[in-house]
Amino acid sequence: KPVEAPAPAAAPAAEAKPPGWETSATAGATVTRGNSKTLLFTAGLQSQKKWDKNEARLGLDGAYGENNSVKNTEFGRLFGQYNRLFSERLYGYLRAEVSHDAIADIEYRVMVSPGAGYYLLKDAKQSLSVEVGPGFIREKLGNNTTRDYFTVRVAERYERKINERTRIWQSAEWLPQIDDLNNYILNTEIGLETDLTKKL
């Protein structure tokens, strides 16, 4: 009786490729001529990644503008945030940010804030998170004055995928100085992004 050849070994299952960074870059220009003469340039870069129990988001944006040849906008910001999930919705975070605002006479502003966050909504289409934590800010003003102060950071962020090509997002954060609530920073953002091609 002929000996049957052993069955070939099953091919090992392909390992799931870890998710990569989702990155988008933007640039814009606005020019008006007529009763007024204005110019505005904007640019930005955003990147985020989610893997295992980790989330990271990086961003860089800036703007420059003039009104009747007088500078009225000169702003730049670089930030990064890392989240570590403790459960499906609860996480701790560490955020750092460096910014410059010539119109506000701020040579630089450095902010560091650890804290806790929670997802009020979290599914495949949308997410809504709230965050709170202490913060420390150091600023250097145009007159070479440096000041340090502590803040409380209260923030929220909402994202929604309308379809596979389009998403909207909105975020806001409030950072009042602990011993002087009249001195605070308020940052807000809203955006809509849609794919024209795989790259654009």
Side-chain angles (χ1 to χ4, degrees), residues 159-177:
E159 290 189 25
R160 180 177 178 85
K161 288 185 178 180
I162 298 175
N163 53 46
E164 292 301 315
R165 298 165 58 93
T166 305
R167 73 181 181 101
I168 59 173
W169 72 92
Q170 173 274 330
S171 67
E173 64 175 358
W174 178 51
L175 299 101
Q177 183 174 334

Side-chain angles (χ1 to χ4, degrees), residues 26-191:
T26 62
T30 302
V31 179
T32 65
R33 293 293 184 269
N35 293 336
S36 62
K37 179 181 178 183
T38 67
L39 179 68
L40 176 65
F41 294 106
T42 62
L45 181 69
Q46 298 238 7
S47 189
Q48 63 181 4
K49 181 178 181 179
K50 298 180 180 181
W51 73 104
D52 299 330
K53 294 185 176 183
N54 308 288
E55 299 175 340
R57 190 165 71 250
L58 304 172
L60 173 66
D61 53 66
Y64 178 84
E66 294 181 355
N67 185 3
N68 293 320
S69 301
V70 177
K71 181 171 64 176
N72 62 0
T73 302
E74 184 182 305
F75 174 80
R77 179 181 67 144
L78 171 66
F79 73 88
Q81 180 167 331
Y82 168 75
N83 300 340
R84 176 67 178 181
L85 293 167
F86 303 130
S87 68
E88 184 65 22
R89 293 176 180 258
L90 180 65
Y91 61 91
Y93 74 85
L94 177 63
R95 181 182 178 88
E97 180 176 309
V98 180
S99 62
H100 162 75
D101 190 338
I103 304 304
D105 201 29
I106 297 174
E107 290 291 325
Y108 67 79
R109 173 186 288 142
V110 179
M111 186 270 290
V112 178
S113 174
Y118 187 80
Y119 281 102
L120 301 175
L121 297 173
K122 188 179 183 183
D123 56 41
K125 287 190 175 181
Q126 65 180 347
S127 67
L128 171 62
S129 61
V130 291
E131 298 174 347
V132 63
F136 175 78
I137 290 178
R138 163 166 285 193
E139 295 177 335
K140 182 180 179 182
L141 307 181
N143 59 6
N144 287 324
T145 301
T146 301
R147 61 181 181 181
D148 303 333
Y149 56 93
F150 290 94
T151 70
V152 174
R153 179 176 179 270
V154 181
E156 60 83 27
R157 181 177 179 85
Y158 177 75
E159 290 189 25
R160 180 177 178 85
K161 288 185 178 180
I162 298 175
N163 53 46
E164 292 301 315
R165 298 165 58 93
T166 305
R167 73 181 181 101
I168 59 173
W169 72 92
Q170 173 274 330
S171 67
E173 64 175 358
W174 178 51
L175 299 101
Q177 183 174 334
I178 288 179
D179 55 352
D180 182 5
L181 297 182
N182 291 320
N183 181 36
Y184 62 87
I185 300 168
L186 179 64
N187 294 318
T188 61
E189 181 182 72
I190 187 169

